[in-house]
Amino acid sequence: MSSWPPRQGIPDFNEQLEPLRRVVQRWGRRRLLAAAAAVIVVLWLASGLYIVGPGERGIVLLFGRVVGQTESGLRYRLPAPIQSHRIVDIATVRRVEVGFRSTRGGARPIPSESLMLTGDENIVDVQLFVQYLVRDPQKFLFRARDPELTLHSSAEVALRAAVGETNIDYTMTEGRVEVQDRVKKQLQELLDLYGTGLLVTEARLLVVDPPQEVQEAFHDVVRAWEDRERLIKEAEGYAEGVVPKARGEAVQMLRAAEAYREQRLIRARGDADRFLRILAEYRKAEAVTRDRLYLEMVDRVLPRTKTVVVDSRGDRTGVVPLLPLGTFLPEAPAAKTNSGAPASKPAATTGGR
């Protein structure tokens, strides 16, 4: 039975070094040292090559001092410890969460960050989501000690300041967008003041609710406010449908009144002209005009009555100068037309003299 590990003979170290000894004897010790030094120098110089990827920016340091920035691609700097470089990703959109933390199962609230006081001394639960980019790599690396922690603290400060300037109803309803804009503006000012080199691209309020204990009551208020807004919109829509119709009717009535006025004026002018003409004729022959007017009035008042005018001034014998022959003669038969239909009746005499 064989033992494990198998027994082997101890290798001769001198035999292993024999090829190297031959090379040293062939090239000489100095040449080999020079070649080794040259290889080390080449490797040292080659260590200055570095690659800046797409969406990244390289910062070159000379003995720890910034001497330049490099764009994406294969770049070279002097080897360490003379120069060094740092690479910063400026294209990736990063995020910060205030009042909650994202987990695999959803979101975990952080009450110490989300609960804050409003301007009307109410407590509100607010969660803020911020997205940002690295705008200045040099400031991002060397101006602030921890730029992302500074951004988180600044976002919480800006959010508490904006919420504290408004009341809870305004923050939960119509003032939500205004609070977001105010937080974004104030957060960017703080980041620029601290020299973080960060750019805020979005600040959005995810949750604006009262505390859990009084949440239902506040939701009732919000629903009532939404009903009020809906009713106002419906009333405005009804007014927009009724007011133009009323205006159209008013314009129509105004035009009708103006037309009636013009009609009355024209008729009055005609009556006045007629009166003036009659007056002129009356001044020429007063008796004839008076009799004429009298007869016209009688004819107008009694349109279906036969009127007989007798000149009493020519009666010298006392006999009435009137022979009503029409009452003794039979009425003429109605004439027939060519088609056999009876002819229409003559127009009634409105008055005869």
Side-chain angles (χ1 to χ4, degrees):
M1 183 174 182
S2 61
S3 60
W4 184 265
R7 293 180 180 178
Q8 296 180 355
I10 298 175
D12 189 358
F13 189 70
N14 293 328
E15 292 180 357
Q16 299 293 332
L17 295 178
E18 185 60 26
L20 180 59
R21 187 179 297 110
R22 294 176 182 173
V23 172
V24 171
Q25 289 177 356
R26 182 183 302 172
W27 292 93
R29 183 173 299 176
R30 292 183 178 179
R31 289 182 179 180
L32 289 176
L33 292 176
V39 171
I40 292 173
V41 170
V42 170
L43 292 177
W44 180 68
L45 293 175
S47 65
L49 293 172
Y50 64 99
I51 297 175
V52 181
E56 295 178 344
R57 189 70 56 84
I59 305 296
V60 181
L61 307 175
L62 177 63
F63 296 113
R65 182 179 180 181
V66 177
V67 293
Q69 298 185 13
T70 56
E71 303 291 338
S72 59
L74 180 62
R75 303 296 174 182
Y76 181 78
R77 58 167 175 78
L78 295 178
I82 301 174
Q83 286 188 339
S84 60
H85 71 277
R86 302 281 295 275
I87 295 178
V88 180
D89 187 354
I90 60 172
T92 301
V93 179
R94 313 180 191 197
R95 54 183 291 172
V96 165
E97 299 167 348
V98 179
F100 72 103
R101 297 291 184 274
S102 298
T103 60
R104 292 184 178 179
R108 177 172 56 86
I110 309 295
S112 60
E113 296 179 358
S114 62
L115 294 179
M116 53 192 67
L117 195 64
T118 62
D120 53 352
E121 299 181 353
N122 284 308
I123 297 176
V124 65
D125 188 359
V126 183
Q127 296 180 358
L128 178 67
F129 173 77
V130 179
Q131 289 185 335
Y132 65 97
L133 291 169
V134 177
R135 180 171 57 183
D136 191 333
Q138 183 176 346
K139 290 183 178 179
F140 177 72
L141 290 176
F142 304 110
R143 289 291 295 276
R145 178 171 298 177
D146 192 341
E148 296 181 341
L149 180 60
T150 302
L151 186 142
H152 186 278
S153 301
S154 301
E156 186 175 351
V157 170
L159 179 61
R160 290 184 181 277
V163 171
E165 293 175 355
T166 58
N167 57 50
I168 186 170
D169 294 333
Y170 185 75
T171 306
M172 293 173 56
T173 54
E174 55 186 323
R176 186 166 181 154
V177 177
E178 180 183 347
V179 171
Q180 287 184 173
D181 297 339
R182 193 180 301 176
V183 170
K184 182 179 178 181
K185 180 180 179 182
Q186 189 170 359
L187 175 59
Q188 187 62 55
E189 292 176 354
L190 290 174
L191 295 178
D192 295 340
L193 178 64
Y194 298 147
T196 58
L198 300 177
L199 174 65
V200 178
T201 58
E202 183 180 4
R204 186 169 70 249
L205 296 177
L206 298 181
V207 174
V208 183
D209 285 331
Q212 189 69 29
E213 294 78 5
V214 294
Q215 200 171 78
E216 191 61 30
F218 274 87
H219 284 171
D220 290 340
V221 174
V222 173
R223 284 193 287 268
W225 184 85
E226 291 176 350
D227 291 341
R228 169 179 169 272
E229 292 296 321
R230 179 176 55 80
L231 293 175
I232 290 175
K233 297 294 183 184
E234 290 178 357
E236 291 177 351
Y238 178 75
E240 290 179 356
V242 171
V243 171
K245 183 178 179 181
R247 288 176 179 170
E249 293 178 353
V251 172
Q252 184 178 3
M253 295 175 65
L254 183 61
R255 297 290 173 78
E258 291 177 350
Y260 179 74
R261 185 192 65 179
E262 294 295 330
Q263 181 182 2
R264 295 299 298 176
L265 286 174
I266 294 172
R267 180 177 297 178
R269 290 192 186 100
D271 292 342
D273 293 340
R274 179 172 175 273
F275 177 78
L276 293 176
R277 286 196 298 270
I278 293 173
L279 179 61
E281 297 299 328
Y282 175 78
R283 288 175 178 172
K284 293 178 181 177
E286 295 182 1
V288 175
T289 306
R290 187 184 304 111
D291 294 341
R292 180 66 182 176
L293 291 176
Y294 174 76
L295 294 175
E296 287 180 357
M297 180 56 66
V298 171
D299 199 15
R300 189 182 306 168
V301 174
L302 303 173
R304 297 182 181 275
T305 304
K306 293 182 179 179
T307 305
V308 178
V309 179
V310 178
D311 187 6
S312 61
R313 292 175 299 180
D315 183 11
R316 301 298 182 180
T317 61
V319 180
V320 177
L322 174 62
L323 181 60
L325 296 177
T327 58
F328 298 103
L329 295 177
E331 295 181 356
K336 294 183 179 181
T337 61
N338 296 331
S339 60
S344 60
K345 295 182 179 179
T349 305
T350 57
R353 289 177 290 274

